[in-house]
Amino acid sequence: MDRLILLIAQGLGTGRSPVAPGTVGTLLGLPLFILLLLPGSFAFFVGSLVALSVASVWFCGRAETILGLRDPGSVVIDEIVAVPLCFAGWVSSLYFANGSMPEWTYFFSETIWHWSVVIVLLFRLFDIAKPWPIGPSQAFPGGWGVTIDDLLAALYVNIVMLFFLA
């Protein structure tokens, strides 16, 4: 069971990358984002973001215990789960403007894809730089400390993107 927990917590092995494991893990968040859009349901999208955030807390906490380390660098499920959250403001604005969920292809289309790249880059910037209160949030115990900083970084991405995509 510990091996399965670590497989998930380490992003199917992406967190074991010898170079920039957080960035490599972040890239796995894009297919997750696509999967959350496939059902075409806003309630599913939002519910999944909440459920995945809670699951990340649990997996990160268990991985810390298994590995005997505080916030191990190989644990990237927190980054993976935060990526769809980075797009939540944009998805929500499109949903409320059009009355339906956008197709996943919209975010990677010829005229829009660059905004998706900006979102991922902003996420990495905020996750690495850890402006207040992202840095201090890592002091929370267990999986909360591992996950909350990424969720806050995603919130910062949404705030910044409001100015560009409004």
Side-chain angles (χ1 to χ4, degrees), residues 7 16-17 35 38 42 48-49 69 74 86 105 133 136 139 162:
L7 179 68
R16 300 175 102 192
S17 169
L35 286 173
L38 287 178
F42 187 71
S48 294
L49 292 177
L69 298 170
S74 67
C86 292
T105 53
L162 279 174

Side-chain angles (χ1 to χ4, degrees), residues 6 35 38-39 42 79 119 121 125-128 142 162-164:
L6 287 178
L35 286 173
L38 287 178
F42 187 71
E79 278 92 359
I119 286 173
L121 292 175
L125 173 71
F126 289 130
D127 188 31
I128 292 166
L162 279 174
F163 295 104
F164 294 105

Side-chain angles (χ1 to χ4, degrees), residues 29-166:
L30 291 171
L32 176 60
F33 172 58
I34 291 168
L35 286 173
L36 298 183
L37 291 174
L38 287 178
S41 166
F42 187 71
F44 176 83
F45 183 77
V46 172
S48 294
L49 292 177
V50 172
L52 288 167
S53 297
V54 171
S56 174
V57 170
W58 186 84
F59 278 104
C60 289
R62 288 290 299 132
E64 279 187 324
T65 302
I66 293 166
L67 296 171
L69 298 170
R70 172 90 173 107
D71 198 358
S74 67
V75 173
V76 295
I77 190 70
D78 48 329
E79 278 92 359
I80 295 167
V81 165
V83 170
L85 185 60
C86 292
F87 287 86
W90 193 7
V91 169
S92 298
S93 67
L94 291 169
Y95 173 76
F96 289 114
N98 302 323
S100 63
M101 285 293 282
E103 295 287 328
W104 72 267
T105 53
Y106 170 80
F107 298 95
F108 304 98
S109 66
E110 187 176 326
T111 57
I112 301 294
W113 67 268
H114 62 280
W115 288 115
S116 295
V117 171
V118 167
I119 286 173
V120 171
L121 292 175
L122 280 173
F123 172 67
R124 290 308 298 148
L125 173 71
F126 289 130
D127 188 31
I128 292 166
K130 300 195 183 313
W132 188 90
I134 295 172
S137 73
Q138 291 183 298
F140 288 2
W144 284 105
V146 180
T147 301
I148 196 73
D149 69 310
D150 296 281
L151 301 182
L152 288 171
L155 176 65
Y156 275 36
V157 170
N158 280 280
I159 291 168
V160 169
M161 292 310 294
L162 279 174
F163 295 104
F164 294 105
L165 298 173

